Every structure is written in C-alpha cells, then in structure tokens.
Amino acid sequence: ASEEYFARRGGNLGAWVDDLYRELLGRPADAEGRAHWARVAQLYGRSVSSDQIYNGVESLRRRVDRLYTDLLGRAADPAGRDQWSGVLRASRNDVELAVTLVSSTEYLRRAGG
C-alpha cells in the first residue's frame, strides 16, 4: 500500500489492483474485482484493500497450498487447506504453519530422516 509500491505499479488504482491479484492470488483481476477493490481503496485507503485481499479466502488457500507444496512436496488436502486457512486468518502468521509443517513426521520422512 506504500506510495513507492503504488507508483511502481503504474500509479493508478486499476493497475495496482491488477498487480495485487497477480502477486497475491496468482491470476489476473476480473473487471468486477478490479472495480470493487479500486473503489474500496479510494474510499478507505490502499492499506484496507490490500489487507482484505491478502487475508481473503482465495489468498489464504493459495498460501496454504504453496507452503504444503514447498515443504511437503504435495498439495494440501481439502480439510488441511480449510483448517490452516482459518488459522492463518486468525493469527495472520504464515510462519506458524511453516513451523508446524517442518515439524511434522511427513516432513521428516521427506527430508530423509
């Protein structure tokens, strides 16, 4: 939400939202989403928009999936994805999930231990 980031992403709300979608959700913004989040940013500030996108269900699930893939070499099962998405929403701490995964028996086996 900083001025520097905003300026480097085109200096307008539409381009900024497009970039957030690419970086946080891994996909292009749809027209409705772009318009919605640009309006939220206009009314309440870029910090509010970026925080809500980052802590939205789609972003949470994507972050859980990425940690599972990076650390366990597999996709998260649906129950694990839902559980950890809820934990991330409440704690706002991705490190908690990473520590849990690398402390697991599954990670140890994968690491050859």
Side-chain angles (χ1 to χ4, degrees):
S2 72
E3 287 299 324
E4 180 180 359
Y5 189 92
F6 182 72
R8 288 181 182 231
R9 298 318 184 261
N12 69 70
L13 292 174
W16 177 76
V17 170
D18 285 342
D19 187 70
L20 289 179
Y21 266 67
R22 277 190 305 277
E23 294 296 325
L24 299 178
L25 306 180
R27 66 176 178 86
D30 55 278
E32 288 179 28
R34 182 184 307 105
H36 171 77
W37 291 114
R39 181 79 173 138
V40 170
Q42 185 178 40
L43 292 172
Y44 305 106
R46 291 189 309 265
S47 292
V48 171
S49 282
S50 58
D51 182 67
Q52 289 182 359
I53 294 169
Y54 184 73
N55 287 298
V57 172
E58 186 176 353
S59 174
L60 291 166
R61 287 180 175 164
R62 182 170 190 254
R63 288 162 31 216
V64 169
D65 282 339
R66 290 176 84 178
L67 284 169
Y68 265 74
T69 299
D70 290 349
L71 298 173
L72 300 180
R74 66 172 177 89
D77 56 280
R81 181 182 302 112
D82 290 345
Q83 175 191 344
W84 282 108
S85 293
V87 170
L88 291 182
R89 179 186 296 279
S91 71
R92 296 180 174 247
N93 184 356
D94 294 31
V95 174
E96 181 181 349
L97 171 54
V99 168
T100 300
L101 292 178
V102 299
S103 301
S104 70
T105 303
E106 182 178 351
Y107 182 84
L108 183 61
R109 276 195 311 266
R110 185 170 186 263

